[in-house]
């Protein structure tokens, strides 16, 4: 699903010191631009191999994946005011930890004793962790617990009936039948207001993912 991920940009709506990315995976795409605005970033993922792969790049170790095209793209988004090398250095400096995370648990960060974050972002994670709408609401509530009062939430996920995607030969499933009204209601139940949701049509082959659209939303916790 890498090509479907949306680079998260925050041109000033949410501010603060500390940002958490829930379900970072083995990649840096969702936090590239975030590192310009937040000096303390915590990454997290359920899968140990994803955390290890991410740590390889953060440590600038041999064999780490080459994210140069994405660094170049982010540099262009920032008006070429910073070089790709500057952005890589900035991000490595900003990421303070890569932690285990399970959004199905009341405390997704397990036994880590961390204060709630100024902003929590998550891309294509909560949807994939759930099979039903009820489970989605519960997982969203678990993620909401990681956002401080007055803090921000940024989510990217699937809309309009998409319930599967493939990575290589492996098939994965999303919670089906998510729509905008359901998202708004779920966010309100989790204590969020000031909700803005944007939809993006999917151009993916149905053999890769059967979703018709993606959503990108922002919300503020009361």
């Amino acid at each position: 699903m890498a090509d479907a991920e949306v680079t998260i940009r925050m041109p000033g709506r949410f501010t603060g010191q500390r940002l958490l990315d829930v379900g970072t995976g083995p990649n840096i795409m969702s936090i590239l631009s975030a590192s310009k605005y937040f000096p303390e970033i915590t990454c997290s993922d359920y899968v140990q191999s994803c955390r290890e792969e991410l740590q390889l790049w953060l440590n600038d170790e041999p064999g780490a994946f080459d994210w140069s095209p994405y660094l170049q793209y982010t540099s262009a988004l920032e008006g070429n005011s910073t070089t790709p090398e500057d952005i890589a250095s900035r991000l490595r400096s900003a990421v303070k930890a890569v932690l285990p995370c399970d959004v199905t648990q009341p405390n997704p960060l397990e036994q880590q004793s961390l204060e709630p974050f100024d902003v929590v972002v998550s891309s294509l994670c909560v949807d994939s962790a759930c099979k039903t709408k009820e489970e989605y609401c519960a997982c969203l509530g678990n993620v909401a617990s990681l956002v401080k009062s007055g803090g921000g939430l940024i989510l990217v996920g699937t809309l309009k009936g998409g319930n599967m995607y493939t990575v290589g030969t492996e098939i994965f499933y999303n919670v089906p039948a998510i729509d905008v009204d359901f998202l708004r209601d779920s966010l309100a139940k989790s204590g969020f207001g000031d909700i803005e949701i944007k939809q993006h049509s999917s151009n993916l082959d149905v053999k890769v993912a059967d979703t018709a659209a993606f959503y990108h939303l922002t919300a503020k916790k009361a």
Side-chain angles (χ1 to χ4, degrees):
M1 294 284 287
D3 291 339
E5 294 203 38
V6 178
T7 299
I8 296 173
R9 303 179 68 196
M10 288 161 289
R13 182 180 181 192
F14 297 135
T15 60
Q17 183 81 7
R18 300 168 61 246
L19 177 139
L20 169 68
D21 185 24
V22 173
T24 309
N27 68 77
I28 62 173
M29 288 187 292
S30 60
I31 53 175
L32 276 171
S33 291
S35 64
K36 180 178 180 179
Y37 303 95
F38 291 85
E40 297 181 21
I41 295 176
T42 298
C43 298
S44 65
D45 201 82
Y46 180 78
V47 181
Q48 180 177 347
S49 59
C50 288
R51 300 193 302 269
E52 291 173 347
E53 183 65 29
L54 178 60
Q55 199 67 64
L56 278 178
W57 185 87
L58 291 171
N59 294 341
D60 198 15
E61 295 184 25
F65 188 81
D66 181 9
W67 291 101
S68 295
Y70 296 89
L71 293 165
Q72 292 168 359
Y73 176 69
T74 303
S75 177
L77 287 177
E78 296 181 3
N80 294 312
S81 59
T82 51
T83 67
E85 293 75 21
D86 290 335
I87 296 171
S89 178
R90 181 183 77 194
L91 181 56
R92 289 186 170 111
S93 176
V95 175
K96 306 304 182 185
V98 180
L99 303 177
C101 182
D102 184 350
V103 298
T104 67
Q105 299 302 310
N107 178 6
L109 296 180
E110 296 184 350
Q111 302 303 314
Q112 302 292 327
S113 298
L114 299 176
E115 294 293 323
F117 291 80
D118 297 304
V119 173
V120 172
V121 303
S122 187
S123 178
L124 300 170
C125 173
V126 179
D127 312 48
S128 299
C130 308
K131 295 181 180 179
T132 67
K133 286 186 172 182
E134 291 74 19
E135 290 179 354
Y136 182 94
C137 285
C139 287
L140 188 59
N142 296 338
V143 172
S145 71
L146 303 172
V147 185
K148 77 175 188 180
S149 179
L153 176 69
I154 302 174
L155 287 181
V156 176
T158 58
L159 280 174
K160 299 181 180 179
N163 66 352
M164 60 77 64
Y165 64 95
T166 60
V167 179
T169 59
E170 298 293 328
I171 299 176
F172 298 86
Y173 294 93
N174 293 322
V175 59
I178 293 292
D179 58 32
V180 170
D181 289 339
F182 173 76
L183 283 171
R184 290 189 182 278
D185 184 61
S186 299
L187 288 164
K189 289 178 179 177
S190 295
F192 289 95
D194 194 15
I195 302 165
E196 296 184 11
I197 303 175
K198 295 183 179 181
Q199 301 182 48
H200 310 269
S201 298
S202 172
N203 60 1
L204 295 176
D205 189 307
V206 294
K207 294 179 180 179
V208 175
D210 66 350
T211 186
F214 297 91
Y215 68 82
H216 166 223
L217 69 81
T218 58
K220 187 174 182 179
K221 191 172 184 180

